[in-house]
Structures are given as C-alpha cells and as structure tokens.
Amino acid sequence: MLDYLQQQLREREAQALTRVRRQAGTPTAPRQTIDGRPMLAFCSNDYLGLAQHPKVVAALQEGARRYGAGSGASHLISGHSVAHQQLEDRLADLNAPCIPGARALSFSTGYMANLAAVTALGGEGTDVFSERLNHACLIDGARLARGRKQVFASVDELADQLRTSTAPRKLIATDAVFSMDGHLAPLAELLALAERHDALLLVDDAHGFGVLGPQGRGSLAHLGLRSERLVLMGTLGKAAGVAGAFVAAHPVVVEWLIQTARSYIFTTAAPPALAHALLASLDLIAGEEGERRRAQLELLQAQLVDGLQPWVQARGWQLPRSDTPIQPLVVGDNQDALDLAARLDAAGIRVPAIRPPTVAPGTARLRITLCADHTADDVQALVAALTACP
Ligand SMILES: *Cc1c(COP(=O)(O)O)cnc(C)c1O
C-alpha cells in the first residue's frame, strides 16, 4: 500500500498536480503574512473583509463568554443553543422574500449542508439532476444519495432528462455562482423547469450570499426569484467571514432534514459563539457598511478587467465574464498557470493556480479573488505584476 501511494504521488508530481499548504500567520486580509513573508493576497473568499471586522471579532468574544467554547453535543441531543436558534430565525427572515414561509437550518460547514440536503432529498424513488460544474460536495452528496443520478451540462439537456424521467420525485441541484468561474447559473430557467416538472431546485449560493442582490441576500434575490420549490444552501465562512452554512427552504423540507439528514444529526453542533458572531456579521452585510463594501468590490472588478484585458487577449488567454469578485484568468496549461503564480509570488503577490481535477483538463487558471478591503493601488499592483510577465 505505501509503495502504491508513493508511486501515485510521484505521478501527480510529474503532472504538476502536487498541492502544497502555506501557513498564514495573520488574519485573512489583502495584506497577510504567508509562510513568514508579507504578501498582497488575492485568494480568500472573505469577499467583504468581515473575517477580521472588529464588530464580528467582538461578537465572537462575547459569544464565547456567554456560551463557552464548544456546544458539547449534536443539535438533537443538547447542542442546539439560543444563539443557533437566533441565527436560524434571522436567516429564515432574510430568505422569506424568495422562499415563502422559509425556515432555516444551520450547519457547521457548507460541505455538510450539501451532503445533508442532497442525501435527505434525493432518496429512493427520487431522480437527482446535478449540474456538471457543481461543487465537489454536491457531487459527493449525489454519490451518497439513494436516488438515480444524472449530470446535465445545459438547460436543454436538463429539460430532456426531466421529460424522460419517470421517477415520482425529482431534485435538481446547481451551484448559483460557479466557484472557479464566477458566473451565475441560469437560475430562472432552471426554476421554470422545476415548476414544470414538479421538482425541487437546490441552489448552492456559497459565492453569492453576502455579495449579490439587495442587502447581499444572494443570487435568488439578485434575480428576483420566488418559489416554494427553492432550497437554498448558503455558506457563512466566505462573505460572512465566520464559519458554517445554512439551508433555507419550505418548513416541511427543513423538518425533513432535521429528522433524517445524517450529516446534520450525527455531528457535534458548531460552537454557539460562531452563531453569535454571525448575527453581527449578518447585520453588517444587510446594513450600510455592506452596501459600501459591495460598491467597492464592483469598482475593483471593473478596474481589474479593464487593466488586464488587452494583455490577456494578446496572449490568446481568457478572462471569462464574471458577475462576482471571483475573476478567473484561464491560461489552459497546468505549467503556465503555475509559472504565472510563481512569478506573482516572487513579486510578493499571492494568487492561487487552479488545476485539474478542480477544473476541467486544459482549463488551468489563476483564480483571482477580490476583497472589499483591497484598494485601487492593490489592484494596480496586481495588473502591473501580471502584465510584466514575459
Ligand atoms: C466553499 C463551497 C462549499 C463548501 O462550503 P464550506 O463551508 O467551505 O464547507 C460548497 N459549495 C461551494 C460552491 C463552495 O464554494
């Protein structure tokens, strides 16, 4: 076994696929100490810069004083705290405009929330339709689910699959914002198909929540969608700056998850202090400070695209249109992506190179992510360093 694993690791190395972890010695922020070096970072999903916001940090401390460090048990035993309930009530209110009568359920991570939703709703007798570019945890949920799985690459393909499905129940699952591309799924079309074929539509809004829509309520609000068929998964460790996730849905769906979802039932509840900190974070997201930070992100996005476009086109690379602070620079070749990242690294700028299997073969890229705490000078520094590459 050890020889086999060593051999497999060598093969990955030969294909420039080895991943390394760097150690951050400071809070996540545009200026961060990574492996002991001060770096200008364009790599976190803390889009609004709330992970080290003084109000969120103070609420985390206050939450720890009030509730202690850990929850002590799973939600169904004794780990469900007042803070968890307050968080769920707030998230239910936030999502009620898009999901009438919504109830919300909090999870420790988005990975576990998606596993819960897909396995609990995709049981025996349910066909699960999964978008090709879905995040790994939706894919893993579909693998674990007892229902039949089908993968779709377009709205038309999904329509065909739904038409020929004879399953009594149907679940469609999609990312709202594709995490390696930054573009939005055609959610209105997918919802129309869900309505026509009596299906539920599970939407993973990991990268839209906090960033898109009125008051940062996310992709559904951004597109003005409203339906009882929507099941929304949002993460709270990205734009919300803390940790965890939620599922918001019709109350019957949420009750079903509480009663049957194994990745909800058989795990210790997240520390209540995190839920307490999230209440402060949600206030910021919905308030004036959130508006200001979202406006700054839009300015930075436009500046980055304008600055890079001529250079990118001259090399035959691509800067696909993105609706979000995720700005991919698609170069194709694994080694080209690594070389660019290494050059930036030498210039004190951290941008991750993303390679297969995270993205499709031949579409290796730099995944640039912007944060509201970046300045115009920061973006200019990135553009200058990239366009100086031979
Ligand atoms: C990050 C991410 C998740 C997982 O959320 P975690 O809270 O980090 O476990 C799920 N879906 C998408 C699209 C993501 O980008």
Side-chain angles (χ1 to χ4, degrees):
M1 178 64 116
L2 292 182
D3 288 345
Y4 168 79
L5 297 179
Q6 190 57 258
Q7 172 61 26
Q8 294 290 309
L9 286 172
R10 278 202 205 96
E11 276 179 27
R12 287 177 164 244
E13 198 172 343
Q15 294 165 37
L17 287 176
T18 299
R19 284 128 204 272
V20 295
R21 301 172 304 163
R22 295 161 193 259
Q23 296 179 26
T26 47
T28 182
R31 292 177 194 287
Q32 192 175 24
T33 301
I34 301 177
D35 285 347
R37 283 170 66 208
M39 301 286 282
L40 175 59
F42 292 88
C43 43
S44 97
N45 301 316
D46 176 28
Y47 305 121
L48 298 178
L50 297 184
Q52 60 159 340
H53 193 286
K55 286 188 177 160
V56 178
V57 173
L60 183 60
Q61 290 168 330
E62 155 68 16
R65 264 193 300 278
R66 212 186 278 189
Y67 301 101
S71 69
S74 67
H75 283 275
L76 297 189
I77 302 298
S78 62
H80 188 66
S81 72
V82 171
H84 291 117
Q85 191 58 50
Q86 286 171 340
L87 175 63
E88 291 180 357
D89 291 346
R90 177 82 66 83
L91 289 165
D93 288 347
L94 271 179
N95 285 290
C98 297
I99 307 170
R103 193 178 161 192
L105 188 64
S106 68
F107 287 83
S108 304
T109 71
Y111 193 104
M112 289 163 69
N114 271 341
L115 277 193
V118 182
T119 55
L121 300 173
E124 196 105 33
T126 303
D127 275 2
V128 179
F129 304 89
S130 178
E131 166 41 87
R132 184 174 53 95
L133 294 177
N134 274 348
H135 189 267
C137 54
L138 283 174
I139 295 171
D140 291 355
R143 283 182 184 155
L144 274 176
R146 296 281 171 85
R148 196 166 69 106
K149 288 132 271 234
Q150 296 183 64
V151 175
F152 64 92
S154 67
V155 172
D156 288 345
E157 188 174 11
L158 173 64
D160 285 343
Q161 292 172 351
L162 285 166
R163 211 174 301 119
T164 54
S165 165
T166 55
R169 289 172 297 282
K170 302 178 185 74
L171 174 70
I172 305 165
T174 185
D175 281 12
V177 175
F178 294 101
S179 55
M180 296 301 140
D181 290 287
H183 74 266
L184 269 165
L187 293 175
E189 286 94 325
L190 296 179
L191 181 58
L193 282 177
E195 304 276 2
R196 188 167 327 136
H197 295 276
D198 195 17
L200 288 181
L201 176 60
L202 169 60
V203 175
D204 174 343
D205 206 18
H207 299 280
F209 182 72
V211 171
L212 294 176
Q215 299 171 320
R217 281 191 284 113
S219 302
L220 301 181
H222 177 66
L223 297 172
L225 302 181
R226 178 175 167 84
S227 169
E228 287 186 344
R229 295 175 182 283
L230 289 165
V231 178
L232 180 74
M233 197 291 292
T235 62
L236 300 169
K238 289 174 179 161
V242 185
F246 67 90
V247 172
H250 188 283
V252 169
V253 169
V254 169
E255 189 60 28
W256 180 250
L257 295 185
I258 294 173
Q259 300 305 324
T260 70
R262 296 167 66 84
S263 66
Y264 181 75
I265 298 170
F266 297 105
T267 189
T268 301
L274 296 179
H276 194 71
L278 280 162
L279 291 170
S281 167
L282 294 182
D283 279 345
L284 290 169
I285 289 174
E288 249 173 56
E289 175 132 14
E291 293 302 324
R292 192 175 57 68
R293 286 171 182 261
R294 284 185 287 277
Q296 166 73 353
L297 274 176
E298 282 191 21
L299 288 178
L300 297 172
Q301 280 160 227
Q303 184 195 347
L304 180 73
V305 172
D306 289 349
L308 287 183
Q309 199 61 266
W311 174 76
V312 167
Q313 275 171 2
R315 312 191 142 221
W317 290 342
Q318 274 179 36
L319 209 52
R321 199 186 86 82
S322 159
D323 309 291
T324 65
I326 303 168
Q327 300 286 331
L329 166 55
V330 179
V331 301
D333 181 71
N334 292 349
Q335 197 57 51
D336 283 348
L338 287 176
D339 289 347
L340 276 181
R343 283 184 178 277
L344 291 176
D345 191 85
I349 297 176
R350 167 93 179 115
V351 178
I354 309 283
R355 288 155 289 163
T358 309
V359 293
T363 70
R365 64 197 64 192
L366 292 185
R367 181 176 182 267
I368 302 165
T369 54
L370 296 166
C371 169
D373 282 340
H374 281 123
T375 62
D377 285 349
D378 292 338
V379 171
Q380 186 45 42
L382 173 62
V383 169
L386 271 173
T387 52
C389 289

